[in-house]
């Protein structure tokens, strides 16, 4: 076993080590354990360890110093964009960076039960479904699947959606978006998403589900978004408030968030659009 | 190739399909594509597909109906706990559920550069480091690594930390936690975390970094938390506010969040503790 390369174990180990470097858990200058140590820790062969380290070295994340070991390099890794939890767009604007959207799919479908329930659709009622990816300076960072009740979807065309934010199209049709609930989780990249977001199959992704309701409490948009965590993360500032007997944390909006957590220094204007 | 099982491809496919079932993307009753279709889509052998489906069927997530296909079952999958983004504890209390904490490691270390910077430590200043896991009704859902400047760490013992929330210990020592910044991302489970959280190596995890500062702007706690997304997710309610010319979304605290996004109905009391 120790002389064989196990390609999928090697890719898994590569992904795990890459994550630890990206997260700062293995900062630059860290000396990695030797190949036997890594092999034992991960239950793989030494050849597999070597293959994973080769991939990381090719990416410029590791530096091998003959005789002294393998070290994490000062990385050329991209810094993640941090977005205030209630907003992404205006954030990116503030940062003077430009995002673009590419519409991949547009059509009418029978939605899943979860989407139909969230939107309050009648049995057999269809939904306008679209898939878009969002890019920051040409680099894709999010995969967005939206569902809108068919009667609302009929008020815009594929060309409209390729050019205009969905929320603007909803407002154009007379809808008053009033509230939203969003839930944040994590998942793995499947084949289609991996290809579009330029990650490996099985790479970790942030996921967000947002359901938007109009002023009458009717569901008007269901968004399922997937984000590359190395290019995008959510950030949130909290203030300790309340009485000495009952202290609480209250969120405050972030004006500008660096890519890594750092001592927070500023309050900021009110929230804007939710993330897409 | 089509007659061989590729164990790591099989596990990867298992994890991907499990994610799609857990997320509701493949709701109960969905008929899966046939083995040849799945094999082509994922670039694996049919035997590998069969192995992945076997694992899902053993878990009770799939039902095979000879002659008609393989279907997603009404799952016995656990529902994720949703926590308000600014709070977890009081949330769980409201839900009448009990969490417990297990202290796995306690010691003094030279922190990573990222932690030292976040806490504003001097060169060579050490940190009190602990690793804990949090369980909900006996099921582990989070892995918590905390760093505290050594001079503060000296004010409590390992036994203290095993029994008392860290924030309470900080307050006992005269510290006034005043603000915090938290950042949410996604990552993969490495060997240690996978074992403790009872997931597969390479499973997706939500990650959170929170830096707490005292009233003088000094870093007093650095928390790195990892959450099982099938047992835990963050939720947030937003209200559409502002003038007709400049609409914005403003977050409102969630009183009670169901495991799946649903029409939000209630406002709620102010925020409490941040999540752990």
């Amino acid at each position: 076993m120790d002389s064989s390369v196990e390609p999928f174990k090697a890719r898994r180990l590569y992904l795990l080590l890459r994550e630890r470097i990206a997260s700062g858990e293995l900062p630059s200058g860290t000396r990695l354990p030797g190949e036997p140590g890594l092999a034992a820790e991960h239950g793989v062969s030494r050849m597999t360890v070597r293959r994973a380290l080769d991939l990381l070295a090719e990416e410029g994340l590791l530096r091998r110093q003959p005789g002294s070991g393998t070290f994490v390099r000062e990385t050329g890794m991209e810094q993640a964009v941090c977005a205030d939890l209630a907003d992404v767009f205006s954030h990116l604007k503030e940062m003077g960076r430009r995002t673009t959207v590419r519409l991949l799919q547009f059509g009418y479908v029978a939605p899943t039960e979860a989407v139909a329930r969230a939107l309050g659709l009648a049995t057999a009622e269809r939904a306008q479904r679209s898939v878009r990816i969002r890019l920051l300076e040409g680099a894709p960072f999010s995969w967005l699947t939206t569902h809108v009740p068919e009667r609302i979807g009929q008020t815009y065309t594929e060309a409209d959606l390729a050019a205009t934010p969905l929320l603007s199209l909803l407002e154009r049709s007379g809808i008053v978006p009033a509230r939203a609930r969003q839930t944040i989780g994590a998942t793995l990249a499947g084949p289609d998403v991996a290809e579009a977001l330029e990650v490996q199959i099985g790479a970790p992704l942030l996921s967000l589900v947002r359901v938007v309701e109009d002023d009458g409490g009717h569901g008007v948009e269901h968004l399922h978004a997937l984000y590359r965590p190395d290019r995008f993360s959510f950030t949130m500032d909290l203030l300790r408030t309340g009485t000495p007997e009952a202290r609480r944390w209250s969120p405050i909006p972030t004006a500008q968030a660096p890519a890594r957590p750092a001592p927070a220094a500023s309050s900021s204007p009110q929230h804007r659009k939710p993330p897409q």
Side-chain angles (χ1 to χ4, degrees), chain A:
Chain A
M1 162 144 178
D2 213 53
S3 62
S4 66
V5 178
E6 306 137 311
F8 291 92
K9 287 191 182 182
R11 175 176 290 185
R12 191 182 67 185
L13 181 56
Y14 155 80
L15 282 171
L16 287 169
L17 290 173
R18 195 177 190 287
E19 275 300 304
R20 295 177 67 191
I21 295 170
S23 70
E25 190 190 334
L26 295 174
S28 72
T30 305
R31 187 176 180 281
L32 290 189
E35 287 174 8
L38 284 170
E41 184 189 358
H42 291 270
V44 300
S45 74
R46 286 184 61 174
M47 283 299 291
T48 296
V49 169
R50 205 163 301 157
R51 170 69 65 89
L53 298 183
D54 284 346
L55 290 168
L56 292 165
E58 281 166 24
E59 263 192 277
L61 298 177
L62 295 182
R63 175 172 49 84
R64 278 165 165 153
Q65 211 151 303
S68 59
T70 301
F71 298 85
V72 177
R73 285 183 65 162
E74 192 67 57
T75 68
M77 270 185 120
E78 300 165 67
Q79 295 268 292
V81 174
C82 275
D84 180 22
L85 266 157
D87 174 45
V88 171
F89 278 128
S90 35
H91 217 108
L92 297 174
K93 269 188 217 153
E94 278 163 21
M95 297 169 72
R97 302 173 92 168
R98 294 193 46 200
T99 74
T100 50
V101 169
R102 197 174 296 156
L103 181 62
L104 302 185
Q105 297 174 33
F106 183 96
Y108 288 85
V109 300
T112 65
E113 199 185 304
V115 169
R117 202 183 319 122
L119 292 177
L121 299 185
T123 309
E125 194 174 355
R126 293 195 312 165
Q128 194 286 306
R129 175 181 182 275
S130 70
V131 176
R132 290 171 294 170
I133 56 171
R134 188 170 289 277
L135 305 91
L136 177 65
E137 291 164 0
F141 70 96
S142 69
W143 169 282
L144 311 165
T145 306
T146 52
H147 287 83
V148 169
E150 177 168 23
R151 63 187 179 281
I152 301 170
Q154 299 289 3
T155 66
Y156 55 85
T157 65
E158 179 168 356
D160 286 336
L161 190 58
T164 310
L166 178 52
L167 211 57
S168 302
L169 295 176
L170 297 183
E171 286 170 340
R172 192 186 72 178
S173 77
I175 286 164
V176 180
R179 55 190 300 157
R181 163 164 290 180
Q182 55 192 33
T183 303
I184 297 167
T187 189
L188 301 175
D192 293 350
V193 174
E195 191 183 343
L197 297 186
E198 300 170 359
V199 296
Q200 304 269 351
I201 293 175
L205 298 174
L206 259 172
S207 70
L208 177 145
V209 171
R210 187 173 71 226
V211 180
V212 179
E213 290 179 10
D214 68 10
D215 50 355
H218 304 292
V220 294
E221 180 194 343
H222 182 285
L223 166 70
H224 177 237
L226 296 171
Y227 301 97
R228 275 185 64 155
D230 59 334
R231 293 190 174 160
F232 184 88
S233 58
F234 291 108
T235 191
M236 181 178 203
D237 283 349
L238 303 169
L239 269 184
R240 194 82 168 151
T241 57
T243 62
E245 295 72 37
R247 290 268 179 237
R248 308 170 182 296
W249 290 101
S250 302
I252 50 175
T254 324
Q256 193 180 7
R260 302 269 177 215
S266 63
S267 174
S268 79
Q270 277 308 299
H271 292 80
R272 293 133 304 200
K273 293 181 195 166
Q276 280 227 351

